[in-house]
Amino acid sequence: MSPFENKGLILGIMAGTAGISLMVIWYRKIRKPGAAVRIPVLLDASNRLNSVGLQNEPPNEQGAVMVLHGRQLQILEKLNDLLVSVDELKREVKFLKEAIPKLEELVRKELQGKGDVQRVSPSHRATKRRKAETASGAAETTSSEEAESEGGYLTAYTDSEGDSEEEKEFKKSPDAIAKSEDIELFDFLQRVDNLHKGSEDDKKEGFRLLLEKDDKYENCVDFLWRLARAYGDLFDMTADANEKRKYVADGKIKAEKAVQLDDRSAESHQWFAIMCGYMSQFESVQNKIRNGYLFKEHLDKAIELKPQDPFLYYLNGRWCYSVAQLSWIEKKVAATLFGTPPTSTVEEALQNFLKAEEMHPGYSKYNYVYLAKCYKDLGQKNNALKYCDSALSILSVTNEHDTPLGLEGLFPKDKEAQKDLEALLLTLKL
């Protein structure tokens, strides 16, 4: 081959190489991310050009050109694979950045015990969205510089992009809704508590509000025991026997449900015990004794859970004093029906009343009256008179209880406490 022909061959090879390079650059500029290069089309066009251009070439020169062009196509294929891998990597980075914050939120919700409603996992949603984007080939244009640098990946896929309305709702709804519901319930219960401390009209209003929310909070322990307490308020305020029986029966159901939902709620045990005490006014001897056992069982549980409440010790003192006053016949009936009759002494009752006074001096006018009764029964007349004087020092409240309700009229109004006190003073001064 002449030198002139060799130079022509070299120039032809260089021109072919330059053409392929220009084609690659043009391809990378117009190529959309996620769209795969149609290699078979390029190969077919290249083969047609080769077949035309190489027909006039000598055999040896034609073989050299074929080898060189084959290598160029191999490079083009690898370049295409690399670009496709870059796009996939970008999508993976975007997917991870979207999913990780939502996964953290779900884990936090699970640890807080609020994952009652099963939701679609954000990672699952992101995976489905990523698959849909891959299938449709829809992707944003990315420059060649972004495809070649790690910083480009971060710039293209970590900048804040517009979330769908569903995603925005998912991000804000669990915590926001739970928080607003907690605040609403807290404010409602606080309002009910304030009404319970007020006049009879206030208590009736609190009862009405609780009934309106019964369906919404039927499984809320703090709501249920307050509703039972409101039934107790209505029981005390009405004089009709049928209404009293209905109020206490409904209140007992609510308190019992509260205990079943949360055995560690002291207030639930307390109000269930009180409802059992009220029920004894309308039951047969057998059921009255049964309610007495239930009263003591749940009262002891309430004291265990809330040992600093003087009201519970007052109730316990009343139970002990009542049992200590049972006649021989009543004890025999209890033994016949239940095997083991309840037992207690005046000394045990006295210790409970003293405990209530120690924890809250001047706690109740009736607490002083029962302290005086205990000391009288124990033959300590001077101490009995001392607590009678203490009871006299507390002004009577004629319309309201000085303390919450209790077992079988455990907390009659102060005017009734005054009557008991006057009768006790007559016996002590004889």
Side-chain angles (χ1 to χ4, degrees):
M1 182 183 296
S2 65
F4 180 78
E5 291 174 338
N6 288 336
K7 290 181 179 180
L9 176 61
I10 293 172
L11 289 174
I13 293 171
M14 293 176 63
T17 304
I20 293 299
S21 300
L22 289 173
M23 183 183 296
V24 170
I25 294 173
W26 169 81
Y27 158 76
R28 289 173 60 184
K29 287 185 176 295
I30 68 171
R31 175 183 174 274
K32 292 183 178 180
V37 179
R38 298 183 177 275
I39 293 297
V41 176
L42 292 177
L43 289 175
D44 183 62
S46 178
N47 289 334
R48 288 199 300 270
L49 290 173
N50 290 340
S51 63
V52 174
L54 294 177
Q55 285 177 353
N56 298 324
E57 294 291 336
N60 292 338
E61 295 175 2
Q62 182 177 350
V65 173
M66 288 291 291
V67 171
L68 179 60
H69 189 62
R71 290 179 179 176
Q72 290 173 344
L73 290 177
Q74 290 178 358
I75 293 173
L76 185 60
E77 291 178 18
K78 292 184 179 296
L79 179 60
N80 178 72
D81 293 340
L82 178 61
L83 293 177
V84 171
S85 298
V86 167
D87 286 335
E88 291 178 353
L89 181 59
K90 288 179 180 180
R91 286 194 296 273
E92 292 294 334
V93 171
K94 181 179 180 181
F95 156 66
L96 290 173
K97 292 187 69 61
E98 290 177 346
I100 287 175
K102 298 174 184 178
L103 288 174
E104 290 176 351
E105 183 181 2
L106 284 180
V107 171
R108 183 171 63 254
K109 295 289 290 179
E110 288 295 331
L111 292 178
Q112 293 175 350
K114 297 182 179 178
D116 294 333
V117 180
Q118 190 174 9
R119 298 183 179 270
V120 178
S121 167
S123 61
H124 177 67
R125 185 182 300 144
T127 302
K128 291 176 66 177
R129 186 170 63 252
R130 182 164 56 90
K131 289 180 179 179
E133 291 175 355
T134 303
S136 64
E140 298 176 356
T141 303
T142 307
S143 68
S144 59
E145 289 80 3
E146 289 175 337
E148 293 173 353
S149 67
E150 182 178 357
Y153 306 151
L154 297 177
T155 302
Y157 289 97
T158 61
D159 291 344
S160 176
E161 299 180 0
D163 293 325
S164 67
E165 290 301 319
E166 180 186 6
E167 289 173 325
K168 290 178 181 178
E169 185 65 18
F170 179 83
K171 287 180 180 179
K172 71 182 181 180
S173 62
D175 286 335
I177 292 176
K179 184 176 181 181
S180 84
E181 288 181 350
D182 289 344
I183 293 174
E184 178 186 354
L185 177 60
F186 175 81
D187 291 342
F188 175 75
L189 295 180
Q190 190 173 44
R191 181 183 178 188
V192 169
D193 287 342
N194 290 333
L195 289 171
H196 171 70
K197 298 173 184 176
S199 64
E200 288 191 353
D201 288 339
D202 290 335
K203 292 177 181 179
K204 289 177 181 178
E205 174 64 10
F207 178 70
R208 184 188 65 80
L209 293 175
L210 286 164
L211 286 183
E212 288 180 353
K213 299 287 187 179
D214 192 12
D215 290 339
K216 183 174 183 179
Y217 298 119
E218 61 180 350
N219 292 316
C220 175
V221 173
D222 290 332
F223 174 87
L224 288 171
W225 70 256
R226 283 175 170 85
L227 181 53
R229 181 182 66 185
Y231 274 114
D233 289 340
L234 270 293
F235 170 89
D236 178 64
M237 287 185 285
T238 186
D240 185 85
N242 291 329
E243 289 184 6
K244 279 181 173 290
R245 186 185 184 95
K246 184 179 185 306
Y247 287 140
V248 72
D250 291 345
K252 184 179 178 183
I253 291 173
K254 298 300 181 182
E256 185 175 17
K257 184 175 181 180
V259 169
Q260 292 171 349
L261 288 173
D262 184 7
D263 188 55
R264 302 296 297 172
S265 170
E267 288 79 8
S268 299
H269 286 284
Q270 170 183 320
W271 286 101
F272 182 62
I274 291 173
M275 292 300 111
C276 289
Y278 281 138
M279 281 297 295
S280 64
Q281 298 184 29
F282 308 99
E283 300 284 5
S284 62
V285 174
Q286 179 177 349
N287 288 333
K288 182 179 294 188
I289 296 173
R290 179 180 290 109
N291 281 317
Y293 280 108
L294 286 173
F295 175 88
K296 187 64 167 72
E297 175 187 347
H298 289 276
L299 180 61
D300 288 345
K301 187 67 174 180
I303 292 174
E304 176 188 337
L305 295 170
K306 194 171 57 171
Q308 300 304 315
D309 188 348
F311 175 50
L312 298 178
Y313 293 99
Y314 171 84
L315 290 178
N316 203 32
R318 289 297 303 268
W319 184 88
C320 293
Y321 190 84
S322 297
V323 170
Q325 301 301 313
L326 288 177
S327 66
W328 177 85
I329 295 178
E330 290 171 324
K331 291 180 180 179
K332 284 296 182 180
V333 171
T336 302
L337 294 174
F338 299 98
T340 303
T343 58
S344 189
T345 63
V346 174
E347 287 84 357
E348 290 176 343
L350 175 63
Q351 293 305 313
N352 279 279
F353 294 130
L354 289 173
K355 180 74 171 178
E357 174 65 16
E358 176 187 348
M359 297 177 70
H360 193 304
Y363 173 68
S364 165
K365 188 183 190 75
Y366 241 116
N367 196 59
Y368 283 142
V369 171
Y370 272 91
L371 280 168
K373 286 185 177 183
C374 288
Y375 279 119
K376 173 182 172 293
D377 291 347
L378 295 173
Q380 301 182 30
K381 183 176 180 180
N382 289 337
N383 282 330
L385 289 171
K386 169 187 170 183
Y387 282 106
C388 283
D389 291 339
S390 298
L392 288 171
S393 67
I394 297 179
L395 295 177
S396 296
V397 180
T398 58
N399 294 323
E400 305 299 328
H401 287 297
D402 60 331
T403 49
L405 305 175
L407 174 64
E408 292 185 307
L410 290 180
F411 281 95
K413 292 180 173 61
D414 278 0
K415 62 181 180 180
E416 298 176 18
Q418 184 66 25
K419 291 179 180 178
D420 281 0
L421 177 61
E422 291 172 358
L424 181 61
L425 282 170
L426 287 176
T427 61
L428 288 172
K429 291 180 179 179
L430 289 177

